[in-house]
């Protein structure tokens, strides 16, 4: 399937919106699950968008940049995973591996963008010191717009002008390499969730982890919704039970201990 100019412009607009949301996260358009779903709708393949969204979201869910470190960009990886899957007709997991090339490109472009923003530091300090609210807001919006435009331009170039290049690359891929990309793409969600568990896991949650594993692997529900509802019910029971015990002992329930890592 070849994407038309209109579809590529729509995908670029989705990238623009997600890019402006990247640092504010007010309505979470920037999350891979949302980005992939919107891209799938734009491409006319919602099913692929949802599958790719779950794959990319789980892969990036536990990865957080610390200090001055940079990670592959999740937004561009999410969009290109859907685009490559739809246009090249390959598995989502294989497309996910290929999409990381654009993610690494955006990673370095974002580093350059942060360096360029240092130009405005002194000027924004003076504006803040003078309490010029309108100028502060305009500078903030300008920063979001620059990031959004960068995303939109890069994604448009990759989707509209890069379709033939990606097609040639995929066509000349040896079968073992394509299979390797699929395997790696399938493993990344488990790695991402494993990273998340190292942050939030507590030993008292182990029975729930085992129960979730058994339900998911050995009971065929046909889809993931029943498992999600069982998990939600157990979470509510745990919350209500913990809150009741706190009320009986006269303690204030604050939603968790200080050793959770979050």
């Amino acid at each position: 399937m070849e994407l038309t100019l209109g579809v590529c412009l729509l995908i670029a607009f989705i990238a623009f919106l997600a890019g402006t949301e990247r640092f504010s996260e007010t309505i979470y358009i920037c999350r891979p699950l949302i980005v992939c779903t919107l891209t799938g709708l734009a491409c006319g393949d919602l099913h692929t968008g949802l599958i790719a969204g779950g794959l990319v979201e789980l892969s990036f869910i536990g990865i957080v940049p610390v200090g001055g470190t940079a990670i592959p960009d999740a937004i561009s990886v999410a969009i290109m995973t859907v685009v490559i899957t739809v246009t090249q007709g390959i598995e989502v997991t294989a497309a996910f591996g290929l999409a990381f090339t654009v993610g690494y490109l955006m990673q370095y472009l974002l580093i350059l963008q942060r360096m360029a923003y240092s130009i405005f530091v002194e000027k924004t300090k003076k504006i803040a010191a003078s309490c010029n609210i309108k100028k502060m807001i305009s500078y903030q919006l300008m920063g979001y717009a620059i990031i959004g435009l960068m995303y939109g331009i890069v994604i448009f170039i990759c989707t509209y002008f890069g379709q033939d290049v990606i097609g040639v690359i995929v066509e000349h891929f040896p079968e073992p390499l394509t299979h390797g990309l699929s395997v790696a793409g399938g493993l990344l969600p488990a790695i991402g969730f494993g990273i998340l568990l190292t942050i939030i896991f507590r030993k008292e949650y182990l029975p729930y982890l085992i129960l979730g594993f058994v339900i998911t692997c050995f009971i065929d529900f046909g889809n993931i919704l029943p498992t999600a509802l069982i998990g939600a019910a157990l979470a509510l029971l745990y919350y209500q039970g913990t809150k009741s015990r706190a009320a009986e002992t006269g303690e204030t329930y604050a939603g968790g201990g200080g050793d959770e890592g979050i």
Side-chain angles (χ1 to χ4, degrees):
M1 175 183 173
E2 187 173 342
L3 300 180
T4 63
L5 175 61
V7 172
C8 291
L9 286 171
L10 181 56
I11 294 172
F13 180 67
I14 293 169
F16 171 81
L17 291 178
T20 58
E21 271 279 299
R22 190 175 187 273
F23 294 107
S24 60
E25 293 190 345
T26 50
I27 51 177
Y28 288 95
I29 296 176
C30 60
R31 294 307 306 173
L33 186 61
I34 306 299
V35 173
C36 285
T37 303
L38 293 175
T39 306
L41 279 171
C43 296
D45 193 345
L46 179 60
H47 180 262
T48 296
L50 291 170
I51 296 297
L55 181 74
V56 182
E57 183 71 53
L58 281 174
S59 300
F60 281 90
I61 196 169
I63 303 175
V64 180
V66 179
T69 60
I71 60 174
D73 179 64
I75 296 172
S76 53
V77 170
I79 292 174
M80 292 308 299
T81 298
V82 179
V83 169
I84 294 172
T85 303
V86 171
T87 57
Q88 306 305 320
I90 61 177
E91 292 181 10
V92 176
T93 48
F96 183 35
L98 284 171
F100 263 91
T101 54
V102 182
Y104 282 115
L105 170 65
M106 284 302 300
Q107 172 185 340
Y108 290 107
L109 288 176
L110 287 168
I111 292 172
L112 292 174
Q113 167 255 318
R114 292 189 185 101
M115 292 169 61
Y117 273 11
S118 62
I119 299 169
F120 302 104
V121 171
E122 291 303 320
K123 190 171 285 188
T124 51
K125 281 182 179 179
K126 291 176 182 177
I127 293 169
S130 64
C131 295
N132 191 332
I133 303 299
K134 287 185 178 179
K135 252 193 173 180
M136 287 171 65
I137 293 173
S138 66
Y139 266 76
Q140 186 75 17
L141 294 176
M142 181 183 69
Y144 288 150
I146 290 172
I147 299 171
L149 283 171
M150 185 174 68
Y151 272 97
I153 291 169
V154 171
I155 293 300
F156 178 75
I157 292 171
C158 291
T159 52
Y160 188 66
F161 296 104
Q163 290 183 69
D164 294 335
V165 176
I166 294 170
V168 171
I169 293 171
V170 172
E171 187 179 341
H172 288 84
F173 261 14
E175 183 62 32
L177 182 57
T178 305
H179 177 68
L181 284 171
S182 296
V183 172
L187 284 172
L188 282 172
I191 294 170
F193 201 75
I195 294 171
L196 180 66
L197 280 178
T198 62
I199 302 170
I200 66 172
F201 183 73
R202 298 173 66 185
K203 60 181 181 297
E204 52 263 44
Y205 297 154
L206 182 60
Y208 299 104
L209 179 63
I210 295 171
L211 182 61
F213 176 79
V214 171
I215 291 172
T216 304
C217 295
F218 299 104
I219 301 177
D220 185 14
F221 286 121
N223 61 68
I224 200 68
L225 181 60
T227 306
L229 291 174
I230 291 170
L234 290 172
L236 284 171
L237 286 171
Y238 179 84
Y239 170 76
Q240 290 169 353
T242 307
K243 195 174 181 181
S244 298
R245 286 193 298 273
E248 289 172 3
T249 56
E251 298 176 357
T252 302
Y253 179 67
D259 59 342
E260 293 180 63
I262 53 175

